[in-house]
Amino acid sequence: MQTAKANSKSKQSGKSAVRTPAVSEAVAAQAQDPVAAGNPGMKPAEPQATDIGAVNPVAETSPVEQPAVHPETDVRLLDLNKIVNSTYNPRKNFREETLLELAESIKQSGVLQPICVRPRDEGFEIVYGERRYWAAAMAGLQFIPALIRELSDAEAEDAAITENLQREDVRPREEAAAYKRALQSGRHTIESLVGKFGKSEAYIRSRLKLCELIDALAGMLDKEEISVGVATEIAKYPADIQQEVYNDHFAEGCYSSWKTARIKEIARRLYERYMTKLESYNFDKTECLSCQHNTANQVLFKDECTGGCAGCQNRECMIRKNNEFLVQKAVKLLKDDPRTTLATDGETPAAVLEALEQEGYHVEELEYSIYHYDKGPQIPDAPQAEEFESEEEFSEAQVEYEAEMAAFAEETQQLEFDISEGRVRKYAIIGNLDIEIRYEEIGDEEREVTVNEGQDDEHKVFVTVVPPSPLEGLMQQDRRNREICYEHITTDMKRVFLDVKVANKPLQKEEQQMFYYAVMQRVMSDSKLRQCGFRPKEGSYLTDREQFAAAGRITAKQQAALVRAFLVDYFRSAAPEYGCTDETLLTGMMCRFADMNFTEQSQKVQQEYLKVYERRKARLQEQIDALQAKAEAEELAVSMQEAPDVEPEELPDLLPDETPAIEPTPEPLIIPMDPDIEPDTRMPEEMKTAA
């Protein structure tokens, strides 16, 4: 009786306890040294033959169906130190609180239900019963009763999954991981798991969804901060939506918390915000009727979808089906009536446009909104007898209906004629969910045209341009499509040329032809081409193809002419016009090339400007010399003023004939003035006179 109470307490505690990621370090230490963890003098419980198949009231919460006993089955007391952990147990984490309670119960009553092991090397590996193993270690037992079975890896995995999934205290995500592992093994299907564990297919599928929870929500589920039902509903959506839901409604400090909301309310909010209703789409939904992602097939939504509503949880599949539907319908409309023009008003999915373009169909961008274009004749509704009070009113309605149908037929016939004549364009406008047929009237256009009646006689007139027929329009479209094709090729090829590495190999003949043609195009005018011997077969100028053909049979003399023409053009455009000196390379090259080919003109130009330069240089040199002389005179005057006063030396007595000659007074230094500089009128008169 006492044991049963302890079991009940353990069961309740196990359900309400906070889940921890793993056993604490203290528990792990006890497990590594099971003898030291408990009372060394305590004797292990003796196994009873009648206890082998019984349920341990302390260790478990409900009876379990043990795997079938093999003939070689053996139950023995095994040393805990000879047993290694299980690699197949889907339960990776154990609550420390419940392990401690189980360990205390084992101290009192012993291990009443043996664990299951299989031989492994010199010891044994746990198949199931790992929780009892840890609790026995914490209780200080040295030995534990064990059911020894010879199992393969596959059998051991199945036994571990079966035993653990049949327990009531297994965590939801551990249960989900076990189902997933069973399916991944290839030995089970959803149907076999339903029969094995007595769970419904919907239950197993909902559990499997928990494997797709993002880490943040999975942690909340493990800590019991959200319920299994809430986690299952959120897990039905892709990871990006899960993250958005967590950030907006479950994260700390979120603006609108859903933590206290009921499961059905959360499911409704998720459905309204993130679910797409299948009834909004026009593609074939036959496959959707039995699809697991169809919310109508899920128990939780059956009450809410009594009217036939359904949502798709697999948005990628839904979008793919919708895009395929639009592409197929557009192609069919075009094949049924080749006069149809595929068009978009900006609402067409990009994937649809890309698919049509890749298939060779051109989709025109409309200039106006879809509402600018006409829907065309609308078929009248046939009257229904139950809508009228008397047979006479119904008869009148029928007569009116027949008149409307006749008018509809006439308008339809006229519309078809106008389309064939090119006066009405038929559009198939591809929207986001479907395709609409619209029409646009094309009137005759008056264009201003310049007419040349003579050399100097030009005038402008207005002519009426009839729209092309559908056949002519298609041919024009083909020409335009070809232009678009090669426009794209040219644009992208230019980008290739930006990063291309030129091959270091001999030139091919065609490459040489291309080079000389490029030179002719770049630097040779029609007159120069004729001077070099390139003459057209007809007309006054060479066509591009004639120039290319001439480049393929070019002579040595023509090659020289093209090279020189290219150099002339190069120097003309590349040689700098500012900051040039006699050391500028391009300037020197240009002058040297001109000396070799245009000697007279070159010398004339060079000599003209060199003479000017020499004159300017001479005048500047005069000014430089004058300034230098003035600076030297000023420096001398300053040095004399700064010399110290000294007593004059006594002159030696000289004989009359030894009187020293008087040196002439030196002329004052006069700096010549620049003739271009006028005298300063502000100078004193005496200085002006002296000057």
Side-chain angles (χ1 to χ4, degrees):
M1 189 68 180
Q2 185 179 359
T3 304
K5 291 181 179 180
N7 292 336
S8 177
K9 181 180 179 181
S10 177
K11 180 178 180 180
Q12 296 174 0
S13 176
K15 288 186 177 183
S16 61
V18 178
R19 301 178 186 265
T20 55
V23 183
S24 65
E25 295 181 359
V27 177
Q30 293 175 343
Q32 295 175 0
D33 192 3
V35 177
N39 186 356
M42 181 178 179
K43 295 182 179 179
E46 295 292 335
Q48 302 289 329
T50 57
D51 294 335
I52 299 296
V55 177
N56 184 356
V58 179
E60 311 299 338
T61 58
S62 64
V64 297
E65 182 181 348
Q66 294 292 336
V69 179
H70 289 199
E72 65 272 23
T73 297
D74 184 19
V75 178
R76 291 187 296 174
L77 289 175
L78 300 179
D79 192 336
L80 291 175
N81 294 321
K82 294 185 178 181
I83 302 175
V84 298
N85 298 340
S86 170
T87 58
Y88 304 105
N89 192 355
R91 305 175 66 186
K92 302 301 181 183
N93 302 312
F94 303 95
R95 292 191 293 267
E96 182 179 354
E97 297 85 351
T98 58
L99 280 177
L100 291 172
E101 292 179 1
L102 181 58
E104 185 64 28
S105 179
I106 289 176
K107 288 182 180 180
Q108 299 178 9
S109 305
V111 180
L112 301 183
Q113 181 176 347
I115 65 174
C116 181
V117 299
R118 65 171 183 162
R120 179 75 176 267
D121 299 329
E122 297 181 357
F124 302 91
E125 179 187 35
I126 298 176
V127 177
Y128 57 80
E130 189 171 357
R131 185 167 173 268
R132 279 163 280 168
Y133 167 81
W134 287 108
M138 296 170 62
L141 300 186
Q142 184 177 357
F143 301 94
I144 188 171
L147 180 68
I148 303 175
R149 299 178 60 185
E150 293 285 347
L151 300 174
S152 64
D153 292 346
E155 292 173 336
E157 184 177 14
D158 283 348
I161 293 174
T162 301
E163 201 270 347
N164 282 278
L165 285 179
Q166 289 177 332
R167 301 187 183 279
E168 292 184 359
D169 62 342
V170 63
R171 293 184 179 185
R173 285 211 311 134
E174 293 173 344
E175 185 180 6
Y179 289 137
K180 184 177 181 179
R181 186 168 183 174
L183 293 174
Q184 290 177 341
S185 68
R187 298 183 297 273
H188 297 280
T189 62
I190 296 289
E191 291 75 15
S192 66
L193 293 178
V194 169
K196 190 176 186 64
F197 299 106
K199 305 290 186 181
S200 67
E201 181 177 347
Y203 176 88
I204 295 177
R205 291 189 183 278
S206 65
R207 280 294 191 266
L208 288 171
K209 277 292 182 182
L210 297 180
C211 297
E212 302 176 11
L213 274 178
I214 61 174
D215 294 340
L217 292 171
M220 295 185 69
L221 176 61
D222 291 341
K223 297 176 183 178
E224 297 184 349
E225 296 178 359
I226 58 175
S227 67
V228 179
V230 171
T232 301
E233 290 301 325
I234 301 176
K236 296 175 181 177
Y237 297 85
D240 56 337
I241 295 180
Q242 292 187 41
Q243 190 64 51
E244 183 179 347
V245 171
Y246 172 78
N247 295 337
D248 295 345
H249 307 293
F250 290 98
E252 292 294 332
C254 60
Y255 179 75
S256 176
S257 177
W258 288 1
K259 292 182 179 180
T260 59
R262 304 178 70 177
I263 298 176
K264 284 191 174 182
E265 178 63 19
I266 291 178
R268 185 188 63 80
R269 295 174 183 176
L270 289 171
Y271 182 85
E272 292 179 352
R273 184 170 179 179
Y274 301 106
M275 188 68 64
T276 302
K277 296 182 179 180
L278 287 172
E279 63 183 9
S280 303
Y281 290 81
N282 298 306
F283 57 80
D284 187 6
K285 305 181 187 68
T286 303
E287 295 181 357
C288 303
L289 297 177
S290 58
C291 180
Q292 61 177 338
H293 300 292
N294 187 345
T295 56
N297 298 325
Q298 301 174 12
V299 177
L300 187 61
F301 286 100
K302 283 187 176 180
D303 295 338
E304 301 180 10
C305 293
T306 55
C309 69
C312 179
Q313 294 172 330
N314 191 342
R315 293 200 295 181
E316 293 183 1
C317 177
M318 178 197 65
I319 293 173
R320 176 179 56 80
K321 288 181 177 294
N322 182 62
N323 292 344
E324 291 175 353
F325 163 75
L326 293 175
V327 172
Q328 292 172 3
K329 185 172 182 179
V331 173
K332 185 178 185 304
L333 288 172
L334 198 59
K335 290 183 177 180
D336 292 342
D337 189 356
R339 304 170 303 175
T340 305
T341 300
L342 299 181
T344 175
D345 63 344
E347 298 295 329
T348 311
V352 175
L353 295 176
E354 184 179 355
L356 289 171
E357 291 288 346
Q358 289 180 351
E359 292 294 328
Y361 299 101
H362 174 69
V363 182
E364 182 178 324
E365 293 187 7
L366 295 178
E367 185 176 359
Y368 308 102
S369 168
I370 188 174
Y371 303 105
H372 174 80
Y373 304 90
D374 188 20
K375 290 185 177 181
Q378 302 295 309
I379 187 170
D381 296 328
Q384 303 296 326
E386 59 270 12
E387 298 177 354
F388 300 90
E389 296 181 355
S390 64
E391 188 171 341
E392 183 180 355
E393 292 180 352
F394 176 64
S395 299
E396 293 177 357
Q398 282 186 316
V399 173
E400 184 178 354
Y401 169 72
E402 291 175 358
E404 291 176 351
M405 283 296 297
F408 169 75
E410 184 179 353
E411 291 175 0
T412 303
Q413 185 178 3
Q414 182 63 41
L415 178 63
E416 290 293 319
F417 175 78
D418 291 340
I419 294 174
S420 301
E421 291 295 316
R423 301 189 180 277
V424 172
R425 183 175 291 120
K426 181 180 179 182
Y427 289 106
I429 304 176
I430 308 171
N432 189 36
L433 300 176
D434 209 342
I435 300 178
E436 288 192 50
I437 301 297
R438 297 287 179 116
Y439 302 92
E440 181 187 27
E441 185 177 354
I442 306 172
D444 296 342
E445 182 182 0
E446 286 192 347
R447 296 180 183 175
E448 188 179 14
V449 180
T450 301
V451 180
N452 279 327
E453 295 183 351
Q455 185 72 22
D456 299 323
D457 188 10
E458 289 186 358
H459 64 281
K460 295 182 178 180
V461 297
F462 289 91
V463 297
T464 301
V465 181
V466 180
S469 66
L471 179 59
E472 294 173 343
L474 292 176
M475 295 176 66
Q476 292 178 3
Q477 185 63 54
D478 178 64
R479 289 191 293 269
R480 178 54 187 156
N481 290 342
R482 186 165 62 251
E483 291 177 359
I484 293 173
C485 170
Y486 284 96
E487 286 173 1
H488 288 309
I489 291 175
T490 303
T491 302
D492 289 351
M493 196 64 71
K494 286 183 176 181
R495 298 193 185 101
V496 172
F497 284 173
L498 294 175
D499 301 326
V500 70
K501 293 183 179 179
V502 179
N504 187 15
K505 61 181 182 180
L507 281 174
Q508 300 181 28
K509 184 177 180 180
E510 192 174 0
E511 290 178 302
Q512 295 178 349
Q513 184 179 1
M514 292 178 183
F515 171 75
Y516 288 116
Y517 170 76
V519 174
M520 294 165 67
Q521 285 283 309
R522 182 64 61 88
V523 302
M524 300 292 285
S525 62
D526 291 333
S527 60
K528 290 183 178 180
L529 287 173
R530 285 193 294 270
Q531 292 174 6
C532 296
F534 300 105
R535 301 187 181 279
K537 293 181 179 180
E538 297 179 359
S540 59
Y541 65 93
L542 286 166
T543 64
D544 292 343
R545 294 189 177 276
E546 287 177 338
Q547 290 186 31
F548 184 74
R553 56 179 183 269
I554 192 170
T555 63
K557 185 177 180 180
Q558 291 172 335
Q559 289 180 3
L562 288 178
V563 170
R564 292 189 178 103
F566 176 80
L567 289 175
V568 169
D569 183 76
Y570 172 73
F571 289 130
R572 185 171 58 224
S573 59
E577 297 181 358
Y578 301 95
C580 300
T581 69
D582 53 351
E583 297 179 354
T584 304
L585 177 61
L586 280 178
T587 302
M589 289 173 57
M590 181 177 61
C591 293
R592 179 57 183 155
F593 175 80
D595 289 341
M596 291 188 292
N597 294 277
F598 324 108
T599 305
E600 183 178 351
Q601 298 96 319
S602 175
Q603 292 299 319
K604 181 179 179 181
V605 172
Q606 294 183 55
Q607 290 176 7
E608 179 182 355
Y609 290 104
L610 285 173
K611 288 179 181 179
V612 175
Y613 168 69
E614 292 296 334
R615 289 196 296 268
R616 291 177 176 176
K617 182 180 180 182
R619 292 187 59 183
L620 288 174
Q621 190 62 47
E622 292 176 356
Q623 293 176 327
I624 291 171
D625 293 342
L627 290 174
Q628 289 178 345
K630 182 179 179 180
E632 291 175 359
E634 291 176 350
E635 184 179 355
L636 179 61
V638 171
S639 62
M640 292 179 64
Q641 291 178 1
E642 294 178 352
D645 297 335
V646 295
E647 293 291 333
E649 296 182 359
E650 294 184 2
L651 297 176
D653 295 336
L654 299 176
L655 296 175
D657 57 347
E658 294 179 351
T659 303
I662 299 174
E663 297 181 359
T665 305
E667 296 288 335
L669 180 63
I670 299 176
I671 300 174
M673 296 184 64
D674 194 319
D676 294 337
I677 302 177
E678 297 181 356
D680 191 349
T681 57
R682 297 171 297 177
M683 296 172 61
E685 292 297 327
E686 60 271 14
M687 294 183 66
K688 293 181 181 179
T689 304

